[in-house]
């Protein structure tokens, strides 16, 4: 495309008062030689926008540099089709006029540098060409329990073809083994039919759903829209083209044989929730030892849960389950007594109604307490010793039958933990800073068997749940197009599982729809760019393959990366990782950012005007800098912010570019990483930190101080810290002294 | 796109009532599938209750982080039409084909607004700031909070006809002040409706034995959240109301008016975790501060148990099983004194602290105010949405009291139900 650049400088909102606009315009015209440069006092208004539109229609301007407010503001006004028009927004308002003294030389120099950088980028950007391929919109649901059945039904009801794979011979999972369900609707008092049978019927009768029972997934290859899933059933295999996947493979009850201290296995009359439920289903709650009906049943809550020795987490459903099963016992025999020993009774929300009702039953005794021993006393029954209870410091209770309320273990947590070897091991010892960010934990649980270079299953997060760990984005799994739902991702009951399944089905549908439009999914929803690789210069170092948080790259036999664009979140972390700089997006590349850095004017050493480049991610850091401006917080004029999609985009060559130009320091500000990470691409900022650690050796070789580079984690609400962060770093730079390479 | 009068959304669309985090999510998830959405919000900003929240449990991360990404998604999506200061007046029709009457109240500021702030600077009168639960003041022309979206100022109708209104008009260089703006009433055709009207805090004044409203240093959990917030009345410093001194000791009274036949019979599910979270705010600011949490049951469900385990490790945070029955005050220090029955020992204990936080529950917005549409409510005012409904789907706290992540699971599912309704 023949590019014609138009620069539009707005002088509204205080910009005109802070800067010499005419002088600024000269940077565009005389220095950067752009053919069209106009200024306007109110660029986002109808008249101002009219100037731009007119130039586009009459003058053939197709590349716009809008030097005005932040790219986060007035997005409606400055909105153009990225497949036709290249747009770069230069922030002269929040990041210049509002945070710097009006009329000062340094303020002017800051604005001029930003305009240079914006023009350089705009010149190098290209219009986007969406990645389009013939894709499938079929949804695969793995698991035929309540979650999988619901996901299948809901996706089919929205008009999509579904393939449902269940490893057992029949559908229904654990819900089908229940006698009744505890109440799931107002007034939350009566036990209900699980209705799993009608759900199964709905699914079996739905012509859009193809069901494979007694089947497993042998292999999942490909990418969203383009998955090739091999289903194995009765010794034969079939490969199906799939668009997106809902992983609803469920849970297994915690292995009660590990609970000897609570009598399981030692006493015949100690059973689990699952076992008493089975008895209720058969209509006979009986002691295993002698088949007699129990007169006193004791429930021990949190059996192996909330316990660092077993399952540290709470399984959320066991309190309600015990209350339900208490009702089974009491309705079967109004003379029978029930004891429930708990740490906390967890019946949140409207479930409280049900708890109250059971509490009012005179035959049910509930107490907080620690169960310290469970011992069979011949045929006299079982003696349970409880301490710190509401009924006394130490009490002993006799029961005929003891039920252990055991927790739920996701099937994703069961299997051999494997180490996926990624990049080549480097020779020599590593310092703390050089240690790789921890690799994903992959457990060979044989659910999806992904043919992905980064491992055969979704990364197992806390306790093996392949969950999202984001509060705001509960379905964001680490593999695009694959959405865990139900008890595999969080302990939950049937009612919540049905809700969860519906949400996951939506995400799967949304994914195939977005992929069909060439769009990225969350968080860069709608992004039409995608990474392109100049493979001739690839040295097979495998950094991109290793560092992509989403497993976007597979590899061929030689180790050359094979990108799968529909798996990509367009974060650019691979771009930052590549030492040969072969990865780029049409609107964002190593060359673009490197050129922006090199466009910064660096004053001579004797002018005593240091220069610092600060790379900031668009997600938390850029808004925080904007907010500092909105609040008119003032800080050093010597920093030039360069926005990135993620701090993980930082390519080491940019540091070299900056330092060799005489720039005195480089700061990186990105989202928090670690256990409670906020980084929207999981490990981008962590990788940036790790890469900066590796750069220490280079700096020493160049006789430059390591203090010139600093990496900072920031939350979006820490905008008050921006001036301190910037000013502290400038103070350090002053202390360290000017870059000796200035003026070379 | 915000307030777009030129947007394509309309016919065959989904209406989302309520622009809190659940409404925003339902709207985005549907729009990204490819469906047109109209998002109607009564306040002049999106974000509802979470915009006023300092940090989320368990990660102690700020809500504005997720809101920023969502606002960006909204800005980039031509299928979403956001209407703020708007309410649904009437709904006619049936599933698949509704006609909705929407009333949009005047902002007195039009699309020209650049959020430069000149109008606010020109104003002289201040009024109580409802965003800070009246714990601070704001100008008559204001931006609800620094990251507000739409990024557009609002004029409080109270200043119309005053000198301040004129000052705003004079100060604005972009012709954005429109003192004569009128409410607009118009109809839209939609195929399905998602109700995400959220919650309001239980009125703690009804808890007459607990002293709220009489004793200055007895506050609610939502007030505590504002105090801890960097955009709040004290820039995030937790200072007690009577004398603005940093707190050295805090008591959290769980289930204040919840699980109680006389007030809210149900459990709001999040207050245990919220109090633990707020305890960490205090401890972070003051390593010497002592916290006591009086509870009935600690409801840290599922993986939230980790957060409870983490908080328990702090030896200056003490958990005591017992319900706070009464709160009085030491008249000289104005320290609240609580009376608790320690359920484990059976003894009545009295405890004194600088500040008491009542962990009050969530009441659905619909409990006082029925919606002009055909939905069923349970005895507490939550909208019944258990799969049998067609056409109108509730999501988030309008449906049952839940934490944010669960609310968003809900909202995502509701988006699918609404889409199915469009496609029937």
């Amino acid at each position: 495309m023949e590019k014609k650049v138009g620069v539009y400088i707005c002088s509204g909102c205080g910009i005109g008062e802070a800067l010499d606009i005419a002088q600024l315009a000269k940077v565009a015209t005389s220095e950067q030689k752009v053919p069209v440069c106009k200024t306007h006092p109110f660029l986002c208004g109808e008249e101002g926008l009219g100037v731009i539109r007119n130039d586009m229609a009459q003058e053939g301007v197709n590349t716009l540099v809008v030097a005005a407010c932040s790219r986060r503001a007035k997005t409606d006004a400055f909105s153009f089709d990225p497949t036709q028009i290249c747009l770069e927004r230069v922030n002269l308002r929040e990041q210049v006029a509002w945070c710097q003294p009006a009329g000062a030389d340094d303020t002017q120099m800051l604005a001029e540098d930003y305009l240079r950088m914006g023009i350089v980028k705009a010149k190098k950007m290209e219009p986007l060409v969406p990645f389009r391929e013939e894709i499938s919109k079929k949804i695969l649901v793995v698991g035929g329990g309540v979650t999988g059945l619901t996901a299948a039904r809901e996706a089919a009801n929205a008009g999509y073809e579904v393939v449902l794979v269940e490893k057992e011979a029949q559908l229904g999972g654990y819900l089908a083994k229940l006698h009744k369900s505890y109440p799931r609707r107002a007034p939350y008092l009566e036990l209900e039919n699980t209705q799993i049978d009608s759900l199964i019927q709905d699914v079996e009768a739905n012509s859009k759903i193809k069901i494979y029972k007694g089947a497993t997934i042998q292999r999942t290859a490909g990418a969203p829209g383009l998955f090739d899933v091999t289903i194995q059933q009765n010794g034969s295999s079939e490969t199906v083209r799939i668009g997106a996947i809902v992983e609803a493979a469920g849970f297994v009850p915690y292995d009660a044989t590990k609970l000897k201290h609570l009598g399981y296995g030692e006493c015949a009359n100690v059973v689990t929730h699952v076992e008493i439920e089975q008895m209720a289903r058969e209509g006979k709650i009986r002691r295993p030892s002698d088949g007699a009906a129990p007169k006193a049943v004791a429930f021990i809550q949190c059996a192996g849960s909330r316990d660092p020795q077993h399952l540290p987490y709470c399984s959320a459903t066991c309190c309600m389950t015990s209350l339900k099963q208490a009702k089974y016992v009491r309705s079967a025999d109004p003379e029978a007594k029930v004891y429930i020993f708990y740490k906390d009774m967890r019946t949140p929300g409207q479930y409280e109604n049900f708890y109250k009702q059971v509490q009012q039953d005179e035959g049910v005794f509930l107490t907080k307490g620690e169960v310290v021993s469970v011992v069979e006393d011949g045929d006299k029954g079982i003696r349970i010793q409880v301490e710190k209870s509401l009924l006394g410091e130490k009490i002993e209770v006799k029961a005929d039958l003891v039920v252990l309320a055991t927790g739920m273990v996701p099937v994703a947590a069961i299997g051999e933990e494997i180490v996926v070897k990624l990049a080549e091991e480097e020779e020599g010892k590593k310092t703390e800073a050089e240690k790789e960010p921890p690799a994903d934990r992959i457990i060979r649980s044989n659910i999806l068997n992904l043919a992905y270079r980064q491992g055969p299953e979704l990364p197992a997060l806390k306790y093996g749940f392949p969950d999202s760990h984001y509060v705001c984005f509960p379905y964001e799994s680490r593999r695009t197009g694959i959405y865990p739902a139900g008890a595999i991702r969080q302990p939950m009951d049937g009612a919540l599982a049905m809700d969860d399944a519906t949400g996951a089905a939506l995400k799967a549908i949304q994914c195939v729809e977005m992929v069909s439009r060439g769009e990225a999914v969350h968080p860069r929803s709608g992004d039409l760019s995608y990474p392109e690789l100049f493979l001739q210069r690839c040295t097979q170092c495998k950094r991109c393959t290793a560092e992509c948080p989403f497993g976007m790259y597979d590899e061929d036999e030689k180790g050359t990366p094979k990108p799968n664009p529909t798996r990509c979140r367009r974060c650019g972390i691979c771009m930052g990782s590549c030492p040969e700089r072969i990865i780029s997006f049409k609107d964002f590349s190593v060359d673009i950012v490197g050129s922006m850095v090199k466009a910064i004017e660096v004053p001579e050493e004797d002018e005593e005007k240091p220069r610092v480049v600060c790379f900031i991610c668009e997600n938390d850091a850029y808004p925080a800098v904007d907010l500092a401006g909105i609040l008119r917080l003032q800080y050093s004029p010597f920093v030039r912010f360069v926005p990135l999609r993620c701090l993980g985009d930082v390519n080491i060559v940019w540091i070299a570019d900056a330092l060799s130009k005489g720039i005195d320091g480089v700061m990186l500000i990105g989202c928090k990483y670690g256990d409670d990470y906020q980084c929207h691409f999981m490990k981008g900022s962590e990788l940036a930190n790790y890469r900066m650690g590796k750069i220490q050796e280079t700096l020493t070789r160049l006789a430059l101080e390591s203090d010139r580079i600093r990496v900072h984690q920031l939350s979006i609400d820490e905008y008050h810290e921006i001036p301190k962060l910037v000013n502290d770093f400038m103070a350090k730079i002053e202390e360290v002294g000017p870059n000796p390479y200035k003026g070379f | 796109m915000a307030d777009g009068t030129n947007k394509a959304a309309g016919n065959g669309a989904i209406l989302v009532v309520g622009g809190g985090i659940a409404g925003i999510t339902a709207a985005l998830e549907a729009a990204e599938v490819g469906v047109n959405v109209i998002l109607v919000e009564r306040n002049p900003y999106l974000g509802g209750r979470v915009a006023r929240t300092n940090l989320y449990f368990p990660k102690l991360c700020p809500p504005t982080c997720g809101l920023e990404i969502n606002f960006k998604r909204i800005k980039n999506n031509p299928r979403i039409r956001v209407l703020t200061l708007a309410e649904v007046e009437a709904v006619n029709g049936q599933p698949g084909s509704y006609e909705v009457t929407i009333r949009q109240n005047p902002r007195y500021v039009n699309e020209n607004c650049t959020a430069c702030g000149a109008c606010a600077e020109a104003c002289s009168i201040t009024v109580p700031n409802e965003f800070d639960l009246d714990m601070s003041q704001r100008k008559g022309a204001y931006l609800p909070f620094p990251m507000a979206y739409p990024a557009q100022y609002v004029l409080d109708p109270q200043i119309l006809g005053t000198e301040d209104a004129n000052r705003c008009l004079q100060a604005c260089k972009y012709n954005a002040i429109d003192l004569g703006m009128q409410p607009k009433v118009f109809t839209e055709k939609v195929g399905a409706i998602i109700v995400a009207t959220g919650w309001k805090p239980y009125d703690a004044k009804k808890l007459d034995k607990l002293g709220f409203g009489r004793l200055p240093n007895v506050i609610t959990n939502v007030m505590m959240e504002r105090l801890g917030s960097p955009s709040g009345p004290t820039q995030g410093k937790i200072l007690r109301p009577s004398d603005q001194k940093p707190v050295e000791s805090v008591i959290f009274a769980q289930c204040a008016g919840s699980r109680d036949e006389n007030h809210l019979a149900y459990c709001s599910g999040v207050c245990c975790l919220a109090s633990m979270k707020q305890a960490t705010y205090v401890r972070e600011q003051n390593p010497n501060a002592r916290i006591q949490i009086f509870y009935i049951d600690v409801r840290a469900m599922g993986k939230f148990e980790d957060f409870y385990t983490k908080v328990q490790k702090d030896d200056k945070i003490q958990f005591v099983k017992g319900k706070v029955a009464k709160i009085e005050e030491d008249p000289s220090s104005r320290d609240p004194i609580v009376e608790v029955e320690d359920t484990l020992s059976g003894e009545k204990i009295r405890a004194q602290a600088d500040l008491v936080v009542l962990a009050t529950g969530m009441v659905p917005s619909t409990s006082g105010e029925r919606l002009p549409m055909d939905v069923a409510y349970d005895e507490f005012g939550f909208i019944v949405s258990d799969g049998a409904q067609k056409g109108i789907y509730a999501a988030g706290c309008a449906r049952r009291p839940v934490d944010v992540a669960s609310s968003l699971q809900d909202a995502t599912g509701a988006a699918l139900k609404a889409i199915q309704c469009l496609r029937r």
Side-chain angles (χ1 to χ4, degrees):
Chain A
M1 175 185 103
E2 177 75 42
K3 293 183 70 156
K4 186 163 184 190
V5 181
V7 171
Y8 301 92
I9 304 175
C10 182
S11 55
C13 293
I15 297 172
E17 285 83 303
L19 302 169
D20 179 345
I21 299 290
Q23 194 61 27
L24 188 60
K26 286 209 190 108
V27 167
T29 53
S30 317
E31 195 193 287
Q32 298 288 325
K33 310 272 189 259
V34 299
V36 175
C37 176
K38 303 217 168 121
T39 67
H40 196 280
F42 179 22
L43 195 61
C44 58
E46 271 314 299
E47 194 191 86
L49 289 174
V51 171
I52 298 178
R53 287 186 202 124
N54 189 59
D55 284 355
M56 285 166 65
Q58 310 297 335
E59 307 290 328
V61 168
N62 54 26
T63 299
L64 307 171
V65 177
V66 171
C69 50
S70 164
R71 65 193 53 197
R72 294 168 59 250
K74 292 292 173 182
T75 49
D76 273 7
F78 302 115
S79 164
F80 305 94
D81 180 354
T83 63
Q84 305 295 322
I85 304 292
C86 296
L87 168 69
E88 174 63 5
R89 302 270 312 255
V90 172
N91 191 337
L92 296 181
R93 189 180 75 163
E94 288 86 331
Q95 295 185 11
V96 178
W98 285 1
C99 61
Q100 301 298 335
D105 278 348
D106 287 329
T107 309
Q108 184 73 18
M109 292 172 94
L110 177 62
E112 291 180 2
D113 267 347
Y114 278 147
L115 188 59
R116 279 180 193 110
M117 290 157 75
I119 293 171
V120 156
K121 175 166 179 198
K123 284 180 177 170
K124 289 186 178 246
M125 286 166 75
E126 284 179 31
L128 302 179
V129 178
F131 179 81
R132 284 250 168 74
E133 257 206 48
E134 193 64 47
I135 64 137
S136 162
K137 292 189 184 181
K138 207 176 271 199
I139 311 292
L140 169 68
V141 178
V142 181
V146 63
T147 308
L149 290 167
T150 306
R153 182 182 66 180
E154 299 304 322
N157 283 348
Y160 293 81
E161 299 282 325
V162 178
V163 170
L164 175 64
V165 174
E166 163 57 45
K167 81 170 183 237
E168 301 296 336
Q170 67 286 328
L171 299 170
Y174 274 92
L175 206 69
K177 300 186 206 234
L178 296 189
H179 170 48
K180 284 210 180 333
S181 151
Y182 51 72
R184 296 174 294 192
R185 70 193 86 198
Y188 298 92
L189 295 172
E190 299 306 316
L191 299 186
E192 301 176 358
N193 236 317
T194 62
Q195 297 184 321
I196 190 79
D197 287 332
S198 72
L199 177 56
I200 293 173
Q201 256 167 46
D202 275 355
V203 171
E204 288 184 330
N206 195 315
S207 57
K208 282 192 155 19
I209 306 176
K210 184 156 188 221
I211 306 174
Y212 293 79
K213 289 188 259 202
T216 55
I217 309 283
Q218 188 177 13
R219 186 172 188 263
T220 305
L226 305 159
F227 286 116
D228 286 314
V229 180
T230 307
I231 302 169
Q232 196 169 42
Q233 187 185 43
N234 297 329
S236 60
S237 298
E238 186 187 333
T239 302
V240 189
R241 186 32 82 92
I242 292 288
I245 303 174
V246 173
E247 185 183 55
F251 74 99
V252 291
Y254 185 66
D255 180 4
T257 62
K258 299 194 178 146
L259 303 173
K260 289 206 173 57
H261 64 289
L262 293 175
Y264 193 81
E266 310 279 300
C267 312
N269 296 319
V270 173
V271 300
T272 64
H273 263 172
V274 177
E275 291 165 325
I276 193 176
E277 192 72 30
Q278 176 67 15
M279 293 187 214
R281 231 172 115 79
E282 289 163 6
K284 301 187 288 206
I285 298 179
R286 300 282 180 266
R287 287 159 44 99
S289 66
D290 56 10
K295 284 314 232 180
V297 181
F299 287 84
I300 300 176
Q301 297 311 107
C302 303
S305 290
R306 299 180 61 184
D307 183 344
Q309 310 282 353
H310 299 275
L311 297 179
Y313 55 89
C314 151
S315 284
T317 60
C318 336
C319 286
M320 283 296 281
T321 301
S322 291
L323 292 172
K324 171 186 74 166
Q325 294 175 337
K327 278 189 86 130
Y328 290 165
V329 172
R330 297 280 300 139
S331 24
D333 179 0
E335 304 291 305
K337 288 214 259 293
V338 171
Y339 299 94
I340 302 184
F341 301 106
Y342 62 85
K343 291 186 190 174
D344 291 281
M345 276 309 281
R346 293 183 166 177
T347 57
Q350 295 122 319
Y351 285 164
E352 189 67 28
N353 266 9
F354 186 60
Y355 178 30
K356 258 208 308 265
Q357 186 201 67
V358 178
Q359 276 179 303
Q360 281 158 6
D361 180 343
E362 289 176 351
V364 179
F365 304 94
L366 296 121
T367 176
K368 182 177 164 84
E370 274 173 42
V371 171
V372 294
S373 91
V374 178
V375 174
E376 190 116 46
D377 189 6
D379 51 354
K380 294 207 202 86
I382 304 176
R383 280 194 340 246
I384 306 162
Q385 285 188 334
V386 184
E387 293 186 350
K388 299 199 191 128
S389 81
L390 298 178
L391 304 168
E393 197 37 49
K394 272 190 172 54
I395 60 171
E396 191 180 274
V397 169
K398 279 223 197 62
D400 300 330
L401 183 67
V402 170
V403 183
L404 302 182
T406 46
M408 300 162 84
V409 177
V411 300
I414 301 171
E416 174 208 344
E417 194 143 335
I418 60 180
V419 175
V420 180
K421 197 159 183 298
L422 296 167
E424 294 305 319
E425 284 297 315
E426 280 176 14
E427 295 299 322
K429 283 213 204 111
K430 294 204 168 113
T431 65
E432 210 35 67
E434 288 171 328
K435 289 219 182 92
E436 301 253 1
D440 284 334
R441 204 177 145 219
I442 305 285
I443 297 174
R444 196 186 293 284
S445 48
N446 265 315
I447 307 170
L448 296 172
N449 288 306
L450 297 168
Y452 276 37
R453 183 63 187 82
Q454 279 200 14
E457 298 296 336
L458 259 55
L461 301 189
K462 261 195 189 165
Y463 311 124
F465 290 100
D467 200 355
S468 111
H469 202 42
Y470 285 125
V471 173
C472 306
F473 308 108
Y475 293 103
E476 279 325 299
S477 69
R478 290 193 182 191
R479 298 290 178 259
T480 309
I482 303 177
Y483 302 98
I488 196 173
R489 84 173 182 91
Q490 251 177 40
M492 58 175 80
D493 61 25
L496 193 52
M498 292 179 76
D499 285 346
D500 204 34
T502 311
L506 175 91
K507 294 301 283 184
I509 288 169
Q510 185 189 79
C511 181
V512 299
E513 291 298 337
M514 294 180 90
V515 165
S516 76
R517 299 190 292 257
E519 294 174 0
V521 298
H522 176 277
R524 292 188 62 84
S525 306
D527 189 349
L528 295 171
S529 72
Y530 62 91
E532 291 169 291
L533 279 65
F534 187 65
L535 285 171
Q536 281 97 306
R537 284 212 338 258
C538 175
T539 60
Q540 287 81 28
C541 75
K542 301 183 197 174
R543 292 247 64 96
C544 56
T545 320
E547 293 184 8
C548 173
F550 309 102
M552 199 274 255
Y553 291 99
D554 290 331
E555 252 169 43
D556 70 9
E557 329 68 54
K558 291 202 257 139
T560 307
K562 277 167 56 190
N564 292 278
T566 62
R567 290 186 201 168
C568 180
R569 307 278 174 98
R570 283 63 163 185
C571 60
I573 288 175
C574 54
M575 188 182 93
S577 73
C578 180
E580 294 302 314
R581 284 109 52 203
I582 70 170
I583 304 177
S584 53
F585 298 82
K586 286 214 182 337
D587 59 350
F588 183 60
S589 66
V590 178
D591 180 42
I592 285 178
V593 178
S595 306
M596 287 167 78
V597 169
K598 288 185 270 205
I600 295 171
E601 276 222 350
V602 180
E604 297 293 327
E605 187 175 318
D606 56 4
E607 288 182 56
E608 294 190 354
K609 287 184 191 296
R611 286 290 181 262
V612 159
V613 164
C614 182
F615 294 105
I616 52 176
C617 85
E618 284 180 341
N619 307 300
D620 281 4
Y622 191 99
V625 177
D626 266 3
L627 282 165
I630 289 170
L631 295 172
R632 310 300 196 272
L633 305 180
Q634 310 283 300
Y635 47 86
S636 165
F638 300 139
V639 175
R640 273 83 180 112
F641 289 112
V642 178
L644 303 173
R645 298 176 176 197
C646 176
L647 207 62
D649 297 347
V650 176
N651 192 298
I652 290 185
V653 77
W654 299 337
I655 316 295
D657 286 342
L659 295 174
S660 55
K661 235 201 106 94
I663 286 172
D664 302 283
V666 179
M667 198 157 59
L668 280 64
I669 308 180
C671 308
K672 298 199 167 171
Y673 57 85
D675 276 344
D676 285 334
Y677 62 87
Q678 290 168 43
C679 175
H680 295 259
F681 299 103
M682 323 295 179
K683 26 174 126 155
S685 51
E686 192 170 7
L687 281 165
N689 193 42
Y690 153 71
R691 285 179 207 150
M692 292 310 107
K694 297 191 79 162
I695 216 183
Q696 298 305 325
E697 199 226 311
T698 317
L699 289 174
T700 320
R701 225 180 343 105
L702 293 171
L704 284 171
E705 303 79 345
S706 60
D707 283 334
R708 292 190 188 275
I709 316 280
R710 188 181 284 189
V711 184
H712 218 96
Q713 297 174 66
L714 193 78
S715 255
I716 198 174
D717 66 339
E718 291 175 335
Y719 44 85
H720 291 290
E721 309 277 310
I722 294 287
K724 183 167 188 294
L725 276 182
V726 169
N727 294 342
D728 274 359
F729 189 58
M730 291 314 309
K732 176 56 82 176
I733 294 298
E734 283 218 27
E735 190 188 304
V736 160
N739 182 337
Y741 290 95
K742 251 188 241 287
F744 266 70
Chain B
M1 306 271 190
D3 266 38
T5 45
N6 55 339
K7 285 293 135 284
N11 266 336
I14 294 175
L15 172 72
V16 177
V17 184
I21 189 78
I24 291 171
T25 298
L28 276 170
E29 298 302 339
E32 287 178 0
V33 170
V35 167
N36 289 334
V37 179
I38 305 175
L39 176 59
V40 168
E41 164 57 42
R42 156 194 307 192
N43 282 322
Y45 58 93
L46 294 185
R49 296 280 161 195
V50 306
R52 296 188 199 176
T53 300
N54 177 27
L55 298 176
Y56 288 140
F57 55 77
K59 288 165 67 172
L60 300 176
C61 52
T64 37
C65 174
L67 284 175
E68 170 70 18
I69 295 278
N70 283 332
F71 294 158
K72 189 161 123 182
R73 287 161 83 190
I74 291 176
K75 289 174 198 172
N76 287 339
N77 198 319
R79 293 184 205 94
I80 302 185
R81 192 166 147 216
V82 175
L83 299 170
T84 50
L85 285 167
E87 297 181 50
V88 172
E89 284 210 321
V91 173
N92 292 304
Q94 64 252 337
S97 141
Y98 291 108
E99 203 178 68
V100 184
T101 308
I102 297 171
R103 179 193 170 92
Q104 194 167 24
N105 291 313
R107 187 181 279 257
Y108 305 106
V109 173
N110 62 33
E111 295 293 301
N112 285 340
C113 177
T114 62
C116 70
C119 53
E121 232 188 276
C123 282
S124 55
I125 316 167
T126 63
V127 294
N129 185 356
E130 64 280 300
F131 192 84
D132 275 345
L133 303 161
D134 291 357
M135 291 192 285
S136 68
Q137 299 273 308
R138 60 161 171 76
K139 297 281 184 72
Y142 64 102
L143 196 61
F145 62 102
M147 239 188 74
Y149 178 81
Q152 219 181 336
Y153 272 66
V154 194
L155 251 53
D156 188 327
Q158 284 184 72
I159 71 168
L160 290 180
T162 69
E163 229 347 88
D164 265 4
N166 266 328
R167 291 195 186 108
C168 289
L169 199 53
Q170 303 309 320
C172 181
K173 288 197 271 195
Y174 306 110
N175 239 327
I177 304 287
D178 180 0
L179 298 174
M181 205 184 266
Q182 294 300 314
K184 280 192 288 200
V185 179
F186 51 96
T187 55
E188 292 290 346
K189 282 194 175 36
V190 298
I193 303 176
I194 297 175
V195 177
T197 45
W199 58 279
K200 55 193 173 198
Y202 185 68
D203 182 1
K205 288 210 192 71
K206 296 189 179 162
L207 307 169
D208 37 48
K209 294 221 174 64
L210 299 185
F212 180 75
R214 277 186 293 115
L215 310 178
N217 295 320
V218 174
I219 63 173
T220 61
N221 46 13
V222 285
M223 291 167 74
M224 181 62 156
E225 199 65 30
R226 287 316 298 147
L227 288 181
S229 217
S231 65
T234 53
Q235 285 79 54
K237 289 206 200 358
I238 299 183
L239 307 174
R240 67 180 206 158
S242 67
D243 52 17
Q244 297 300 304
K245 287 220 185 77
V247 296
E248 296 288 319
S249 57
V250 183
I251 286 174
F252 287 86
Q254 296 313 108
C255 306
S258 292
R259 301 180 65 184
D260 184 340
E261 285 298 338
N262 302 315
H263 300 278
L264 297 180
Y266 57 90
C267 155
S268 287
V270 300
C271 335
C272 286
L273 291 158
S275 290
M276 286 189 249
K277 169 188 69 159
Q278 293 177 340
T280 66
Y281 299 167
V282 179
R283 296 283 301 125
E284 159 113 36
Q285 289 183 14
N286 182 353
N288 292 322
R290 285 160 287 115
I291 315 274
Q292 279 180 299
I293 302 182
F294 293 103
Y295 70 92
I296 305 179
D297 290 281
V298 176
R299 292 181 166 176
M301 312 297 295
K303 286 183 274 173
F304 286 141
E305 179 69 22
D306 280 349
F307 189 60
Y308 180 30
T309 308
K310 179 171 121 167
V311 172
Q312 281 178 299
K313 287 202 173 93
D314 182 340
D315 59 7
K316 292 210 163 59
I317 300 181
Q318 200 194 356
F319 287 85
V320 180
K321 186 169 165 78
K323 187 165 170 166
V324 170
K326 200 159 85 167
I327 306 183
E328 290 164 339
E329 184 186 67
D330 166 27
S332 52
S333 63
R334 309 223 71 179
D335 285 357
I337 304 174
V338 310
E339 199 178 271
V340 182
E341 192 188 275
D342 181 339
T343 341
L344 275 179
S345 66
E347 291 166 12
K348 263 204 176 51
I349 59 182
R350 285 168 75 80
Q352 183 167 335
D354 289 344
L355 182 69
V356 169
V357 180
L358 302 180
T360 44
M362 301 194 278
V363 173
S365 303
T366 43
S367 85
E369 209 184 314
R370 293 319 201 211
L371 294 164
M373 51 185 97
D374 185 18
V375 286
Y377 302 87
D378 71 8
E379 63 191 288
F380 308 119
F382 292 101
I383 296 176
V384 175
S385 194
D386 55 14
Q389 292 68 32
K390 299 259 181 291
I392 305 180
Y393 311 96
C397 292
R399 193 177 166 216
R400 37 170 205 190
V402 279
D403 60 285
V404 172
S406 305
S407 169
L408 304 186
Q409 269 167 264
D410 221 11
T412 311
L416 185 58
K417 303 302 282 184
I419 290 174
Q420 286 169 352
C421 185
L422 294 182
R423 290 181 182 182
R424 252 193 276 280

